[in-house]
Amino acid sequence: MLRKCGLVVVAAATVISVVRAADVRVDLSKETVGKPPVSFEPIVGTWVVAQDGPDKVIMIDGRPWVASKDNPTKLLIDSARRLYGTSNEELMDNAKQFAYYPVAVLKNVTTFSNGTISLKFKTIAGDSDRASGILFNVKQNGDWLAVRYNDTENNVALWEFHNGIRRNMRFSDRSKPFMLDRAAWHELKLDIDGASLKTYLDSALALEYTLGSAPGPGRNNAAPNPDLFPENNAVLRPPVAGKIGLWAKTDTTSYFKDYVVSPK
């Protein structure tokens, strides 16, 4: 069904609706509870559709990670092939570290550069971590960027993943922790404008970062890691250009819904 005003598109393979000419909203209403989501491709971790009151949601289930953490190289190779049409050897080489960070990639957005990505999340459980985030700038070798809220640290952070290692790029102000109600839904929003990244938590600006920035010194004023220089690391160079999705960490169990992509 296609209407010029109030455009609605329904696809059999992925349940995606266009709520305005440029906006894409993931509709979970036709997903099957207990099954992996159709609209997202689970790459790492156990992602399933769950029921939360009247709503269907996407759940990252951290319990299987605990059971398999002694074998962290389990990576869904077939998913990478479906996404990129290749065995993606670089991504496979990064599997050991990659497996600590559950990710699921939105299928119907090939690449995203400018605009906003927003979602709602609810923290459910996790002993090691309770982290919920937006995955973006995902490269074919498995490198990515992610902004996340951590319910054990009460902060927002921007992380990069490159050469099999995750590194922090920016934390929110540690003197102003975000003490969120775990029983409630919260909104995480990322705004990308060229090299400028802004992250909002429940409409409050939580952090800002400019891609291409020179890295600061390491611990004890040591020289920064070479991988943090944008010239050595494509995921840190503007412009943003890659796949997007959902992000979590280790044994996190979280619910996600209302995933909206608004390109500029």
Side-chain angles (χ1 to χ4, degrees), residues 12 27 49 164 173 177 214 223 230 252:
D27 178 10
V49 179
D173 188 345
T252 294

Side-chain angles (χ1 to χ4, degrees), residues 214-226:
R219 291 182 180 179
N220 301 317
N221 287 320
N225 190 293

Side-chain angles (χ1 to χ4, degrees), residues 177-232:
F178 292 92
M179 307 301 293
L180 302 187
D181 180 1
R182 287 179 175 174
W185 285 95
H186 302 281
E187 183 186 58
L188 185 66
K189 182 172 74 173
L190 170 66
D191 183 82
I192 303 172
D193 186 3
S196 173
L197 309 179
K198 294 182 180 179
T199 305
Y200 298 83
L201 184 60
D202 289 342
S203 299
L205 181 61
L207 63 79
E208 299 180 78
Y209 189 81
T210 301
L211 283 180
S213 299
R219 291 182 180 179
N220 301 317
N221 287 320
N225 190 293
D227 282 348
L228 292 178
F229 286 91
E231 56 266 32
N232 300 330

Side-chain angles (χ1 to χ4, degrees), residues 102-114:
V103 295
V105 171
L106 185 62
K107 290 181 178 177
N108 270 23
V109 175
T110 303
T111 187
F112 182 84
S113 293
N114 284 290

Side-chain angles (χ1 to χ4, degrees), residues 47-118:
W47 298 85
V48 296
V49 179
Q51 193 77 38
D52 183 59
D55 298 325
K56 289 180 181 177
V57 301
I58 295 178
M59 177 178 72
I60 175 59
D61 187 351
R63 294 169 296 180
W65 184 89
V66 174
S68 63
K69 64 183 179 181
D70 290 333
N71 185 16
T73 58
K74 291 182 179 178
L75 183 68
L76 301 182
I77 296 174
D78 288 343
S79 294
R81 287 174 175 157
R82 284 194 293 270
L83 283 168
Y84 298 115
T86 174
S87 61
N88 232 303
E89 292 304 322
E90 285 184 277
L91 183 132
M92 300 311 125
D93 290 342
N94 289 339
K96 185 173 182 179
Q97 286 291 330
F98 199 103
Y100 287 95
Y101 309 107
V103 295
V105 171
L106 185 62
K107 290 181 178 177
N108 270 23
V109 175
T110 303
T111 187
F112 182 84
S113 293
N114 284 290
T116 62
I117 305 167
S118 64

Side-chain angles (χ1 to χ4, degrees), residues 242-264:
K243 293 182 181 293
I244 60 175
L246 301 168
W247 182 96
K249 187 181 178 187
T250 62
D251 68 338
T252 294
T253 296
S254 291
Y255 287 168
F256 297 92
K257 67 176 184 179
D258 295 349
Y259 196 100
V260 180
V261 183
S262 302
K264 289 182 180 176

Side-chain angles (χ1 to χ4, degrees), residues 111-205:
T111 187
F112 182 84
S113 293
N114 284 290
T116 62
I117 305 167
S118 64
L119 58 77
K120 290 182 181 176
F121 69 91
K122 184 195 290 186
T123 302
I124 302 300
D127 293 327
S128 298
D129 289 289
R130 294 176 180 235
S132 309
I134 296 171
L135 178 75
F136 68 106
N137 210 23
V138 181
K139 305 301 185 183
Q140 285 201 11
N141 66 347
D143 288 356
W144 45 252
L145 293 173
V147 290
R148 62 90 176 119
Y149 171 72
N150 191 317
D151 191 73
T152 60
E153 298 178 358
N154 305 114
N155 63 14
V156 174
L158 169 69
W159 291 92
E160 68 99 21
F161 186 88
H162 176 63
N163 284 343
I165 298 174
R166 187 191 67 146
R167 295 184 179 90
N168 173 257
M169 305 307 297
R170 182 66 51 85
F171 280 112
S172 58
D173 188 345
R174 294 179 185 271
S175 69
K176 299 177 181 179
F178 292 92
M179 307 301 293
L180 302 187
D181 180 1
R182 287 179 175 174
W185 285 95
H186 302 281
E187 183 186 58
L188 185 66
K189 182 172 74 173
L190 170 66
D191 183 82
I192 303 172
D193 186 3
S196 173
L197 309 179
K198 294 182 180 179
T199 305
Y200 298 83
L201 184 60
D202 289 342
S203 299
L205 181 61

